[in-house]
Structure formats: structure tokens, C-alpha cells
Amino acid sequence: ATEAELARLAPARIAILGSSGVVSDTVRDELVAYQTGGGVTRLYGSDRYATAVAVTSVTYATNGPSVVYIATGENFPDGLAADPVAGIAGAPLLLVSSGGLPPVVASELVRLDPDRVVLLGGPGVVTESVANQIRALFPVQ
């Protein structure tokens, strides 16, 4: 089904999100046949938080988006539910852990410099500690 859809879409380029441990090099090599000139690239980081930053760093300019969405990287329903909203809004979706705001995410938030940051989920998902770390940088909705 994936091959049929890629053939139908005939994408100019294909971006793989995640390391070879997530999407194998064999799959990457197979994808080359479906791109129509832009090649196949891989965006990834040392973990899921850094991978989300790798995506935003090539997709959004500094001072680009007016809003950034934040979801937990430890459980995916909030992020999956918000992804279409973020996409329609042209806004990035970054991930945080319950243990704190990953430094790579904090740096990306500063680089993006959005007008507002929207936390997805309650304090059981994005902890008050993480919210406070973000509040120190930006207004939170």
C-alpha cells in the first residue's frame, strides 16, 4: 500500500524522520526510486526530542512561527492529536519530558521566538516544572 501511494504521489523529495534505528537504511534505499529529483533526506537527533528539533530547524526560520505547540514525548496521543492542527496552522510541534525541558528544545524555542507557546495536555502530562521552565522563556496559553 505504501509503495502504491508513493508511486501515485510521485514526490519531488522524501524526508525520513528518525534515525536508521527507526527507519532502516534498506527502506531509505528503496525510497530513492519514488522521489522525482529532490532526493531522500533523513532528519534525526540523538533522541525523539532532538529529532523534533531537527525537523523544526530545517522547516521554520528564526522568528518564523507565531505559535509553537508543546506535547509530551513520553506518550503520544496528545502529540498525534495536535499534529494536524499544528500543520494547518503552519506551526511546529516540539516534545518535552516529564523530567524537564530538554536543553535542545529550550534552545530551539529561543531560536524560533514565537509569540506564544501552547502546552498540550494537563499537568499530569506536561508537568508544572516543565511549564514553569517554558513560562520563563515565553507566555504560555
Side-chain angles (χ1 to χ4, degrees), residues 53 56 68-70 92 94 96 101-114 116-117 133-134 137-138:
V53 168
T56 63
V68 172
Y69 292 92
I70 302 287
L94 293 171
V96 296
L101 181 63
V104 67
V105 176
S107 294
E108 184 65 354
L109 281 169
V110 169
R111 185 191 75 81
L112 290 170
D113 192 27
R116 66 189 175 113
V117 176
Q133 289 175 300
I134 294 170
L137 300 172
F138 302 102

Side-chain angles (χ1 to χ4, degrees), residues 81-98:
D83 193 49
V85 174
I88 289 169
L93 174 64
L94 293 171
L95 305 175
V96 296
S97 72
S98 61

Side-chain angles (χ1 to χ4, degrees), residues 25-48:
D25 287 338
T26 301
V27 170
R28 182 204 58 213
D29 295 345
E30 291 173 0
L31 289 171
V32 171
Y34 296 96
Q35 57 80 35
T36 60
V40 176
T41 59
R42 183 185 295 274
L43 299 171
Y44 69 97
S46 59
D47 57 26
R48 64 189 72 180

Side-chain angles (χ1 to χ4, degrees), residues 18-25 42:
S19 70
S20 58
V22 176
V23 178
S24 73
D25 287 338
R42 183 185 295 274

